[in-house]
Amino acid sequence: MARNLGGFLVLIAAALIYSSALASYIFQPISDSHRSAALELFNPLGGSFPSVEETYEELRTFEVLGIDKRSDISTAACQSVSEILGSSSSTLKDLFYALKVNGILKCDIKEDVFEGVASRLQAAVSGASALLDFYYSVGGLALIKGQTTKDDLYLADAEGVFQSIKWTTLARNSPTLSRALLGLVADVVRVGGCVGPALALSQSDGRWRYNSNNPESSTHAAGLALEALAGIVSLSSSEIDQSLISTTKNDILKLFDSIEKYDDGAFYFDEKLVGAREHQGALSTTSSVVRGLTAFAAVTSGSLNLPSGKILGLAKFFLAIGIPGDAKDLFNQVDSLAFLESNTVSIPLILSLPATVLSLTKKDALKVKVNTVLGSNPPPLTVNLLRVLRSGSKDTLLTESQELKFDPENAVYTLDPLPKSVDVGKYTFVFETVLHDSDHKNLYATGGQTRIPIFVTGVIEVDTAEIAVLDSDLGSIETKKKIDLAGDNTVPLSANHLQKLRLSFQLSTPLGHAFKPHQAILKLTHETKVEHIFLMGSSGKEFEIILDFLGLVEKFFYLSGRYNVQLTVGDAVMENSFLKAVGHIDLDLPEAPEKAPQPPAQPLDPNLIYGPKAEIAHIFRVPEKLPPKELSLTFLGLTLLPFLGFLLGLLRLGVNLKNFPSSSVPAMFAALFHLGIAAVLLLYVLFWLKLDLFTTLKGLGFLGAFLMFVGHRILSHLASSSSKLKSA
């Protein structure tokens, strides 16, 4: 039976290949699957995370996804935040993430604690020498400004700090020298020179270095630098020199010149560091750039002149990841999409299809949804179907644009019915999204035309199916029978090696066109389980195969007998794919010559190897026949008679305790002797009940030695007493 399913395995594999191809080009917004993954991945041990950074990542992810879990961790998290902010030994990184956590939980932090942290961070900005020091200290000050009632929290020399991050820290404490250095650098660049690697953190290709001592440039560091610069702009009491802002915008454009692209239209940044201690993957690097880009665009005026297609491509990159299996990756994905959702550069709109497989039989309507990356509704717009292309063909089935109807209740755009020229098969539908308000064109990124592959399935009509036995010489039909491929068939046939077998049928689509499935296979299986598979050819709607047994006797290993005939027809778009037993044919083949090939050895049935074994019936030894209970009790009474005789004998002899020693020491030995005799008798009883011979002998040896000692002492006493009486 398992071998008979082999034809369908290829169908399943083909369907999986097509479904994976569809999934790689269709982007779906954030869904409930991400929320379920977040609840599973962010599951702290003991109710708290090892670090405040991980605590923030969980809270931020839940906040974006709309999951209310604050009450579960707010107590432990706020306690950790209070300890970090109140400790003078906390690192800049811990202070930064503690403030981020507080921004979400709104913990009860006193103003004097904020003032102390702000003083530490301002001092850290003044003494910063590396990019991460600027990032954490400036970012922390920007967070404090948004969490306190103080409106006068500014950087004393914001423009100087801005220059210090971009250039060297040699002139950090001297604004005048810093401006002079900036002018010198500009002059050097103007005359065609270059800034040495130990001078600039900002590089000519838009990437940044983590510190002036590290020659490696990093795309991930560029995102951190843009966030830090955005924080400086927000902390400045006066407007930053526009030449510095323009220079930074040019750096962003240069950075986007190095962006990479997938075939599905997704754009991403990848880290190119060679000697980095910790390599940042494409997801982490792209996420860093998105945070920096959106943060800098939010605090500066004017356009960045970035193509909206690249912003949409960044969104496609994060959505194409699907459901990450790591908590850090899920945070980077969700956090970046949240920034893209609310950025001031260009908000990406995602066109998606609830179903990419449409059935002509069920008269499915084409449904399209347009949402933001987090699933919010877009502004008023129109979705047009521009073209329909058949895969593998250059023919365009639809040349006139059709507007999809909007269903406000379900927020979906519908085309019902499908274009009349669409038959079963794989197509590429080309959509266009048009915003109603012209002002929205600069605010939203639609990506122009969107191409989405779609499967259209249907029931394939099977006609004029028949099987026949032909004479080889004349080609005349000896036996011909019609078969019903929609029902059960048990057609009996017989032939010899001088005849042929012909099987034919027609396939047509719901629109009456010829249909060529992925599979059309005829299989003959001998009664010895030897299988022979043949592919059927087609001409238009007609499928036909003729088996000339005279030329197949060697392939059939000269095996005469009964062959079961089975037909498999299937396709990914064919709703009525089938594997049918057509009947059987009794073949009379000539005897095999001496050197004829032998049929292959058939594999053993897995059920014979791995199936359940026959039950083993255990035969136990038949118990020996025991005597009657009355006889056993009678024998027990007889065994007690000698003991009774012993007691009677003692009475007849007049045994008494008159000679029992009266002195303390001899009396003690006499008592021990009698107790030893009693112990020996008890040992005999235990041997009778449960002890084995070796255990009994071991105990008897100890008791015998004991009895010899005490018996010798008491007998010596009795002999001494007897001799004294005789002498008296």
Side-chain angles (χ1 to χ4, degrees), residues 595-613:
K595 296 184 179 180
Q598 297 297 318
Q602 296 301 306
L604 292 176
D605 187 355
N607 290 327
L608 297 178
I609 303 175
Y610 306 106
K613 305 299 181 183

Side-chain angles (χ1 to χ4, degrees), residues 626-635:
L626 299 177
K629 181 178 180 181
E630 294 78 7
L631 181 61
S632 299
L633 294 175
T634 302
F635 181 76

Side-chain angles (χ1 to χ4, degrees), residues 231-498:
I232 294 172
V233 174
S234 64
L235 292 171
S236 176
S237 58
S238 60
E239 186 177 1
I240 300 292
D241 188 354
Q242 287 302 309
S243 62
L244 296 176
I245 302 297
S246 299
T247 302
T248 305
K249 290 182 178 180
N250 290 331
D251 291 341
I252 294 175
L253 295 177
K254 293 176 183 178
L255 182 65
F256 269 77
D257 289 339
S258 63
I259 198 170
E260 301 184 45
K261 181 182 180 181
Y262 286 119
D263 294 337
D264 57 5
F267 286 87
Y268 68 100
F269 291 94
D270 200 4
E271 193 64 275
K272 297 180 174 62
L273 283 177
V274 177
R277 295 181 181 178
E278 182 180 354
H279 176 74
Q280 301 290 342
L283 176 57
S284 177
T285 303
T286 308
S287 180
S288 175
V289 174
V290 167
R291 293 190 191 100
L293 170 68
T294 55
F296 190 80
V299 297
T300 57
S301 59
S303 174
L304 293 179
N305 296 322
L306 283 176
S308 60
K310 290 187 176 181
I311 303 299
L312 180 61
L314 290 173
K316 290 181 177 180
F317 169 74
F318 291 112
L319 294 176
I321 295 173
I323 311 295
D326 178 73
K328 185 75 172 182
D329 291 343
L330 180 61
F331 162 72
N332 284 327
Q333 179 196 44
V334 172
D335 187 50
S336 301
L337 290 173
F339 280 111
L340 290 175
E341 174 95 353
S342 59
N343 79 92
T344 59
V345 180
S346 186
I347 300 175
L349 296 179
I350 303 299
L351 186 146
S352 61
L353 272 68
T356 56
V357 179
L358 306 178
S359 173
L360 290 179
T361 307
K362 300 177 181 178
K363 298 181 180 180
D364 291 339
L366 175 65
K367 297 181 179 180
V368 175
K369 300 188 72 174
V370 180
N371 302 96
T372 62
V373 292
L374 296 183
S376 301
N377 292 328
L381 52 82
T382 299
V383 177
N384 297 322
L385 177 61
L386 299 182
R387 294 183 301 278
V388 177
L389 307 175
R390 180 183 288 275
S391 297
S393 174
K394 297 181 179 179
D395 298 336
T396 301
L397 302 182
L398 179 67
T399 57
E400 294 184 1
S401 174
Q402 294 188 19
E403 180 180 341
L404 277 66
K405 296 181 180 179
F406 180 63
D407 179 7
E409 182 177 354
N410 299 314
V412 66
Y413 297 83
T414 306
L415 180 63
D416 189 16
L418 292 174
K420 296 181 179 180
S421 56
V422 174
D423 205 348
V424 295
K426 182 184 177 184
Y427 298 89
T428 299
F429 282 47
V430 184
F431 298 96
E432 180 187 36
T433 304
V434 181
L435 295 166
H436 293 174
D437 192 340
S438 59
D439 295 336
H440 289 162
K441 294 182 179 179
N442 296 327
L443 182 59
Y444 292 92
T446 60
Q449 298 182 2
T450 304
R451 304 166 67 94
I452 295 182
I454 293 178
F455 273 110
V456 180
T457 65
V459 174
I460 302 301
E461 186 176 355
V462 185
D463 293 324
T464 62
E466 60 182 24
I467 188 169
V469 176
L470 310 177
D471 289 330
S472 296
D473 296 334
L474 304 176
S476 60
I477 299 176
E478 179 177 311
T479 305
K480 182 173 72 171
K481 295 184 178 181
K482 292 186 177 182
I483 53 179
D484 180 14
L485 295 180
D488 297 329
N489 298 277
T490 55
V491 178
L493 297 171
S494 62
N496 57 41
H497 67 286
L498 299 178

Side-chain angles (χ1 to χ4, degrees), residues 47 58-59 62 67-77 105:
E58 181 202 26
L59 290 170
F62 287 168
I67 302 174
D68 187 11
K69 294 278 288 185
R70 298 183 184 182
S71 58
D72 297 342
I73 62 174
S74 59
T75 302
L105 295 180

